[in-house]
């Protein structure tokens, strides 16, 4: 199965993906390893950026044939919380092939009772 | 980096030699394991040189019994810095067992733990780092809330 | 509420600078991640799925208007405009940057708040009954005891590297609103036959992989001896707790392996010695100094009349969300953070600011955070209730569901948490939407949802508990029935195989429909379950069994 290498940046915790020896923020830009050996090599190389205090605990995960991660966890990391479409990477741009929002209907609303502008609070 | 012995805040020579369980005993001050102390108790106590024992983190100093009276050093080992049992062992040595000799830390412990270790009764540290760094670690938090083996005045005392 | 003196203020400020130094050493690589992790956790900082998460203590659940405004400010300046209230009287921010955390902590220190020991293998922030100082059934306000324990446990030199975390809760009332039996250690304020006030101490409760209810190890600990007794318990745990297996390292495993007799014997030995040394005695003067900060406000002499409002929703809210107060003419009001279909426990920066204004405008000094992820106004004049309700309604904070089926405790789950196996929040949202219209008819029913076995959503203690598990990459949900975190504490019983994400809400609804058919007059779901057992519910929960029966 195809794999992608991911980590969180040390300084701000952001989710990042490996691409040609460096880290990029979007899963759609990540390097996809078709071969296990390529994936292992990238993981070994990424230890240098752990040692350089750039990222924390990199690891590999698997993609399905259509390019979506196998695990729900990685879909959520790539997009942001499934319950808040205004947060995380999904707030800026689609980061999954064919992405049209999380699968839960009605689950992607902003925080209930939230007032968009503090001037709107009638007190 | 090399390991130095910091005792009472200063770099010290280590007068003791640690002796493995079946190695021959050298002249002078030695540190042995609890196993060897038990096995060669008579011989070890009869030597007229300072004697220390090294305890693993799962060995309570209470196991030493009255032999503690003949010891001038207890070395407490930190196999991992997250293993906090030796904080209680040091405290017991000082408070319950009234041990007046040296309590030395060895193994995996960090700068950030030194202030705690001094509070519970450690006075010697086999560690990397300078006496200056050691001093800084102790000065990070000025006052303490709870009494411990160091007999420091607590915030509660200072409020009175 | 408690106010820092010069020593407390200096302590917290120095702790901030100590952490700033630790962060610097991490960024330069002097500390690696394995070394840094325990230290960042001891300051409430996690690395989660999307970002770091900072857990800030709300000591014994009490917040002032000034502190609410600071939390709103932090949500705006350093985070994404909201915070999440947890089941242990904390507020979590989900998006702070590591490099900003020392500044966040420095800002918090200016309003006497911190994140000290909100995580890590140490004595965690101490929680207390959220109705403290207001409840009708209270013997004594538990917060002075909680504050005394907070001080004693702060950077405790002997107990900062325990086998595992250690959670303490304190209550001074006859009803348990602090989930005492599920804590590592619980302190109950009690009176003995001679009329003296002292403490009953319980040890060994917990949820997680192996849930246990605690048992009593100290029937009546005299007032001055409380810290000596706690130090004895902690020493027994630090020396004897398992360190070879993280899943067996909590005191609950030690307590239930040794049994009450042996546990009491070990504690008694340490206690006798610590007590004899005398250095840990809680001096009466210091106890009174702390207690004075928690003296109740001077209550006005008011009419006890039930207030009226033209708003038809007010009567429902009054019935579900207000509770008896010890002073005439006053009420306790629950501010629900469980809007129908919303994220349980989340609160926006606008809401935090507006709540601060509410406190000011109605001359209330504080609000509370409950372990059920709601907020509480402890002292509301009954005559103000309609106006308070109207204000809350305009803020989206007047959902009339305290204790009802939509008042769901829910962990962040896989939407945020690195440890989670399944999402919790969407399940809570859909149950809430499905059952909202019938919640008054259903009555008291506590649903609690966790996204993994660690049980942050207290599923073991839910009348209906839901546990999310991962089955080959797919989210599955197990049902448990019959748990309770109140004075009738019990661990829920697992029903059977799990349900898929599209079945779980239907299954819960079928269980509740069965309850509505089977209940006797006045029975809560929990009472019916205890009377008739699992079988009738199991028979309707699984579709296959339903079909087989027809």
């Amino acid at each position: 199965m195809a794999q992608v290498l991911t980590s969180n940046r040390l300084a701000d915790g952001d989710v990042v993906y490996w691409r040609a020896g460096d880290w990029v923020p979007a899963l759609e830009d990540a390097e996809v390893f078709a071969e296990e050996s390529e994936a292992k090599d990238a993981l070994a190389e990424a230890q240098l950026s752990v040692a350089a205090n750039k990222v924390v605990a990199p690891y590999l995960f698997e993609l399905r044939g259509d390019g979506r991660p196998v695990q729900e966890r990685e879909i959520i990391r790539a997009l942001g919380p499934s319950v808040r479409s205004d947060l995380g990477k999904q707030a800026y741009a689609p980061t999954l092939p064919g992405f049209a929002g999380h699968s839960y209907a009605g689950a992607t609303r902003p925080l209930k009772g939230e007032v968009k502008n503090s001037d709107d609070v009638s007190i | 980096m090399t390991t130095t012995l910091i005792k009472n805040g200063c770099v010290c020579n280590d007068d003791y030699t640690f002796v493995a369980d079946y190695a021959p005993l050298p002249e002078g001050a030695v540190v042995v394991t609890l196993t060897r102390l038990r096995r060669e108790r008579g011989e070890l106590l009869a030597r007229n040189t300072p004697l220390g024992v090294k305890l693993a983190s799962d060995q309570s100093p209470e196991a030493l019994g009255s032999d503690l009276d003949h010891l001038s050093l207890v070395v407490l080992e930190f196999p991992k810095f997250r293993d906090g049992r030796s904080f209680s062992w040091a405290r017991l040595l000082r408070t319950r067992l009234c041990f007046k000799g040296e309590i030395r830390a060895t193994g995996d412990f960090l700068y950030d733990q030194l202030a705690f270790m001094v509070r519970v009764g450690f006075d010697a540290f086999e560690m990397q780092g300078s006496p200056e760094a050691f001093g800084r670690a102790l000065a990070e938090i000025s006052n303490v809330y709870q009494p411990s083996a160091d007999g420091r005045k607590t915030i509660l005392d200072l409020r009175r | 509420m408690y106010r820092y003196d010069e020593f407390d203020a200096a302590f917290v400020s120095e702790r901030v600078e100590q952490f700033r130094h630790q962060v610097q050493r991490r960024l330069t690589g002097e500390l690696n991640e394995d070394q840094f992790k325990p230290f960042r956790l001891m300051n409430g900082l996690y690395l989660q799925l999307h970002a770091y998460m900072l857990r800030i203590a709300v000591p014994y659940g009490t917040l002032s208007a000034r502190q609410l405004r600071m939390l709103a400010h932090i949500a705006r300046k350093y985070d994404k405009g909201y915070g999440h209230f947890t089941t242990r009287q904390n507020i979590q921010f989900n998006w702070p940057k590591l490099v900003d955390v020392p500044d966040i902590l420095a800002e918090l220190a200016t309003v006497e708040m911190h994140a000290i020991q909100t995580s890590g293998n140490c004595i965690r922030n101490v929680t207390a009954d959220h109705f403290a100082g207001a409840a009708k059934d209270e013997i004594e306000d538990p917060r002075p005891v909680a504050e005394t324990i907070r001080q004693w446990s702060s950077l405790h030199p002997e107990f900062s590297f325990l086998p595992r975390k250690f959670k303490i809760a304190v209550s001074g009332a006859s009803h348990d609103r602090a989930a005492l039996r599920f804590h590592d250690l619980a302190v109950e304020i009690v009176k003995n036959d001679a009329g003296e006030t002292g403490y009953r101490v319980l040890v060994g409760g917990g949820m997680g992989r192996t849930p246990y209810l605690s048992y009593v190890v100290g029937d009546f600990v005299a007032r001055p001896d409380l810290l000596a007794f706690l130090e004895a318990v902690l020493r027994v745990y630090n020396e004897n707790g398992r360190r070879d297996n993280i899943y067996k390292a909590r005191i609950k495993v030690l307590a239930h392996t040794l049994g009450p007799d042996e546990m009491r014997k070990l504690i008694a030995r340490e206690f006798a010695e610590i007590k004899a040394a005398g250095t840990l005695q809680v001096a009466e003067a210091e106890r009174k100094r702390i207690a004075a900060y928690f003296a109740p406000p001077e209550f006005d002499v008011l009419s006890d009349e039930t207030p009226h409002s033209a708003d038809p929703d007010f009567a429902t809210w009054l019935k579900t969300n207000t509770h008896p107060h010890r002073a005439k003419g006053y009420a306790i009001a629950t501010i629900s953070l469980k809007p129908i279909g919303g994220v349980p426990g989340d609160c926006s920066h606008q809401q935090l600011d507006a709540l601060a204004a509410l406190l000011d405008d109605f001359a209330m000094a504080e609000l509370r955070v409950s372990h059920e992820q709601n907020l509480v106004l402890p002292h509301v004049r009954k005559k103000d209730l309609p106006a308070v309700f109207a204000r809350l309604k305009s803020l989206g904070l007047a959902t009339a569901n305290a204790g009802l089926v939509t008042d769901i405790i829910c962990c962040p789950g896989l939407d945020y948490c690195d440890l989670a196996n399944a999402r919790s929040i969407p399940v809570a949202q859909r149950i809430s939407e499905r059952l909202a219209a019938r919640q008054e008819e259903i009555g008291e029913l506590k649903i609690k949802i966790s996204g993994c076995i660690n049980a942050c959503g207290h599923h073991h203690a839910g009348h209906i508990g839901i546990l999310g598990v991962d089955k080959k990459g797919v989210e599955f949900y197990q049902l448990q029935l019959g748990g309770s975190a109140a004075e009738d504490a019990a661990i829920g019983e697992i029903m059977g195989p799990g349900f898929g994400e599209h079945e779980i809400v239907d299954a819960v609804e079928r269980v509740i429909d069965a309850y509505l058919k089977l209940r006797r007059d006045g029975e809560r779901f929990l009472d019916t379950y205890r009377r008739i057992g699992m079988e009738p519910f199991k028979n309707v929960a699984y579709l296959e069994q339903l079909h087989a029966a027809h």
Side-chain angles (χ1 to χ4, degrees):
Chain A
M1 225 182 258
Q3 294 181 85
V4 165
L5 177 59
T6 186
S7 191
N8 290 75
R9 264 202 308 253
L10 173 66
D12 58 13
D14 261 12
V15 174
V16 288
Y17 302 93
W18 186 258
R19 182 194 178 93
D22 204 356
W23 299 99
V24 293
L27 175 56
E28 61 185 359
D29 297 330
E31 192 173 341
V32 177
F33 304 108
E35 299 296 326
E36 177 71 16
S37 61
E38 298 170 357
K40 287 263 171 64
D41 289 347
L43 182 59
E45 197 186 336
Q47 298 309 319
L48 293 173
S49 92
V50 173
N53 311 305
K54 282 187 182 162
V55 298
V56 177
Y59 63 92
L60 295 159
F61 66 84
E62 294 180 333
L63 299 181
R64 300 190 313 200
D66 63 2
R68 287 174 78 92
V70 171
Q71 289 176 300
E72 197 63 45
R73 169 194 163 91
E74 292 307 329
I75 296 174
I76 290 170
R77 282 179 83 244
L79 297 175
S82 71
V83 293
R84 287 285 301 266
S85 58
D86 58 326
L87 299 177
K89 295 176 188 295
Q90 62 196 344
Y92 308 105
T95 53
L96 280 184
F99 169 65
H102 281 286
S103 55
Y104 275 113
T108 54
R109 71 197 62 195
L111 182 49
K112 194 104 177 188
E114 182 166 19
V115 250
K116 286 290 171 226
N117 178 333
S118 49
D119 297 332
D120 294 344
V121 184
S122 52
I123 42 177
Chain B
M1 264 174 111
T2 51
T3 298
T4 50
L5 178 64
I6 292 188
K7 197 175 168 186
N8 298 318
C10 305
V11 175
C12 267
N13 282 329
D14 188 356
D15 300 329
Y16 291 85
T17 307
F18 175 74
V19 193
D21 277 359
Y22 291 96
L25 281 173
E27 292 297 309
V30 293
V31 179
V32 297
T33 64
L34 184 61
T35 312
R36 184 157 190 174
L37 178 67
R38 283 177 172 157
R39 199 181 58 217
E40 298 167 29
R41 186 175 177 278
E43 187 191 335
L44 284 164
L45 297 187
R47 284 162 56 103
N48 256 337
T49 51
L51 177 62
V53 69
K54 181 175 173 178
L55 298 178
S57 68
D58 60 354
Q59 293 173 327
S60 168
E62 291 197 279
L64 294 167
S66 61
D67 289 351
L68 190 62
D69 302 339
H70 304 280
L71 300 177
S72 50
L73 166 68
V74 176
V75 181
L76 298 175
E77 192 181 14
F78 288 78
K80 294 181 298 220
F81 75 90
R82 290 184 299 275
D83 184 342
R85 281 175 284 198
S86 290
F87 292 96
S88 282
W89 301 147
R91 179 79 205 269
L92 281 188
L93 275 167
R94 291 290 186 231
T95 310
R96 176 181 302 163
L97 306 173
C98 301
F99 179 63
K100 300 275 190 281
E102 176 180 331
I103 302 179
R104 184 188 295 189
T106 188
D108 181 20
F109 56 90
L110 298 173
Y111 168 90
D112 310 85
Q113 296 176 298
L114 293 173
F116 292 148
M117 295 165 83
V118 169
R119 293 220 60 211
V120 296
F122 285 96
D123 55 1
F125 304 82
E126 288 176 8
M127 57 180 273
Q128 297 170 356
S130 63
E132 293 72 31
F134 182 85
R136 275 198 302 278
L138 268 46
E140 283 183 345
I141 307 286
S142 310
N143 285 304
V144 298
Y145 279 110
Q146 55 296 96
S148 194
D150 56 352
R152 263 172 84 173
K153 272 196 191 312
T154 66
I155 288 173
L156 280 74
D157 297 326
L158 297 170
R159 277 177 184 150
R160 280 181 193 161
Chain C
M1 64 195 294
Y2 187 70
R3 296 302 309 265
Y4 286 2
D5 67 6
E6 66 203 273
F7 298 109
D8 301 313
F11 180 87
V12 171
S13 297
E14 286 177 336
R15 182 73 186 99
V16 171
E17 292 315 304
Q18 185 178 48
F19 189 64
R20 192 184 296 281
H21 185 211
Q22 287 168 341
V23 169
Q24 278 162 6
R25 286 158 62 219
R26 175 66 190 104
L27 292 170
T28 59
E30 188 186 329
L31 287 174
N32 64 33
E33 190 61 20
D34 282 348
Q35 293 168 328
F36 180 56
K37 192 175 170 187
F39 296 108
R40 70 165 154 76
L41 290 177
M42 273 190 247
N43 237 311
L45 189 64
Y46 287 73
L47 182 52
Q48 295 286 33
L49 287 186
H50 312 290
Y52 288 95
M53 180 273 277
L54 181 63
R55 181 184 291 159
I56 296 161
V58 180
Y60 25 86
T62 303
L63 276 174
S64 67
R66 191 165 147 246
Q67 292 173 326
L68 282 165
R69 290 194 174 96
M70 175 56 78
L71 294 175
H73 163 75
I74 286 168
R76 272 188 300 272
K77 182 171 174 187
Y78 300 101
D79 211 81
K80 292 188 189 280
Y82 70 106
H84 173 78
F85 288 99
T86 77
T87 56
R88 285 204 82 252
Q89 298 180 324
N90 299 298
I91 182 168
Q92 295 180 170
F93 289 110
N94 287 306
W95 307 90
K97 296 177 167 58
L98 174 62
V99 290
D100 286 340
V101 171
D103 292 338
I104 297 173
L105 296 173
E107 294 218 40
L108 282 171
T110 66
V111 297
E112 305 181 5
M113 292 186 81
H114 60 77
I116 297 169
Q117 289 166 219
T118 55
S119 179
N121 295 335
C122 50
I123 303 170
R124 298 287 185 87
N125 60 303
V126 181
T127 58
D129 181 354
H130 46 264
F131 288 175
K136 216 166 186 170
D137 65 333
E138 186 171 272
I139 296 167
E140 186 178 285
D141 191 328
R143 291 173 301 166
V145 172
E147 172 60 21
T148 303
I149 297 173
R150 182 191 74 80
Q151 296 189 17
W152 160 77
S153 63
S154 292
L155 298 187
H156 197 296
E158 193 178 337
F159 307 133
S160 289
F161 297 88
L162 295 168
R164 207 60 187 87
K165 57 189 166 185
F166 198 90
K167 299 175 179 176
I168 300 178
V170 190
S171 169
S174 54
H175 289 293
D176 178 1
R177 288 174 288 263
L180 294 179
R181 301 283 308 278
F182 282 101
H183 274 78
D184 294 287
L185 186 147
V187 179
E188 251 183 288
I189 302 172
V190 291
K191 282 198 190 300
N192 66 5
D193 294 341
E196 297 161 329
T197 305
Y199 310 105
R200 181 188 294 136
V201 178
L202 298 96
V203 156
M207 302 208 200
R209 191 169 298 245
T210 39
Y212 284 110
L213 297 177
S214 59
Y215 56 74
V216 176
V217 288
D219 302 289
F220 188 83
V221 177
R223 257 191 155 133
D225 297 337
L226 179 65
L227 294 183
F229 195 87
L230 297 194
E231 184 133 319
V233 173
L234 264 298
R235 187 169 295 155
V236 167
Y237 174 49
N238 192 39
E239 291 178 3
N240 299 290
R242 284 183 63 171
R243 290 178 187 265
D244 58 329
N245 182 341
I246 186 174
Y247 301 117
K248 294 183 175 172
R250 295 281 290 272
I251 197 173
K252 62 188 176 186
V253 175
L254 178 69
H256 289 86
T257 306
L258 293 180
D261 292 344
E262 182 64 15
M263 198 70 187
R264 277 167 170 254
K265 214 160 76 189
L266 290 174
I267 294 167
R269 178 178 176 229
E270 294 291 341
F271 175 56
E273 186 180 296
I274 298 164
K275 188 181 168 178
T279 50
L280 249 185
Q281 273 235 333
V282 181
E284 191 57 14
E286 175 65 5
R287 194 189 68 76
K288 285 188 170 152
R289 185 190 79 86
I290 291 177
Y293 288 110
F294 297 97
E298 289 206 11
F299 295 118
D300 302 331
V301 181
L302 296 171
S303 144
D304 218 21
E305 228 173 291
T306 306
H308 293 283
S309 162
D311 188 333
D313 295 337
F314 176 70
T316 316
W317 182 80
L318 186 72
K319 182 167 157 249
T320 54
N321 286 40
T322 64
H323 322 276
H325 195 283
R326 61 191 226 203
K328 209 178 132 206
Y330 282 79
I332 302 170
T334 295
I335 301 172
S336 170
L337 293 181
K338 319 289 177 61
I340 303 307
V343 178
D346 277 10
C347 197
S348 70
H349 71 96
Q350 295 97 332
Q351 289 174 328
L352 290 166
D353 267 339
L355 286 168
L358 175 82
L359 292 186
D360 288 346
D361 293 349
F362 290 89
M364 295 184 282
E366 57 184 66
L367 67 65
R368 305 284 174 74
V369 181
S370 80
H371 89 267
E372 294 180 314
Q373 296 178 287
N374 289 316
L375 302 176
V376 171
L377 294 169
H379 313 293
V380 193
R381 291 166 194 82
K382 280 191 176 174
K383 64 183 172 67
D384 289 341
L385 281 168
V388 168
F389 171 76
R391 180 79 69 86
L392 291 173
K393 197 173 174 183
S394 75
L395 299 169
L397 291 171
T399 314
N401 63 352
L404 300 182
V405 71
T406 63
D407 183 6
I408 298 171
I409 290 184
C410 175
C411 74
L414 192 56
D415 281 301
Y416 291 97
C417 178
D418 187 39
L419 299 171
N421 292 320
R423 276 174 283 192
S424 319
I425 298 168
V427 176
Q429 290 175 315
R430 288 180 299 145
I431 291 174
S432 167
E433 283 167 346
R434 180 76 67 88
L435 296 170
R438 296 200 283 156
Q439 61 181 339
E440 282 179 78
E441 180 198 354
I442 296 165
E444 183 188 314
L445 205 171
K446 305 204 173 195
I447 296 185
K448 307 188 181 186
I449 308 174
S450 307
C452 81
I453 193 72
N454 291 305
C456 296
H458 291 190
H459 64 276
H460 294 299
H463 298 179
I464 297 179
I466 300 172
L467 166 65
V469 296
D470 172 287
K471 229 161 123 183
K472 295 180 184 150
V474 181
E475 293 160 298
F476 261 77
Y477 297 90
Q478 282 183 354
L479 267 186
Q480 282 181 220
L481 303 183
S484 169
E487 57 277 8
D488 57 357
I491 295 164
E493 187 190 345
I494 297 171
M495 180 180 276
F499 297 87
E501 63 165 292
H502 297 295
E503 303 162 350
I504 180 66
V505 180
D506 293 336
V508 168
E509 188 172 32
R510 286 195 295 271
V511 165
I512 290 172
D513 284 336
Y515 153 67
L516 292 176
K517 278 189 204 131
L518 296 164
R519 74 175 164 188
R520 292 179 179 162
D521 275 355
E523 263 186 353
R524 303 172 301 163
F525 173 85
L526 186 61
D527 305 322
T528 305
Y529 172 81
R530 286 178 176 176
R531 178 169 57 80
I532 65 178
M534 177 66 82
E535 221 40 45
F537 298 109
K538 191 169 177 176
N539 287 342
V540 299
Y542 294 96
L543 264 186
E544 315 81 80
Q545 294 191 20
L546 258 188
H547 291 318
H550 287 288

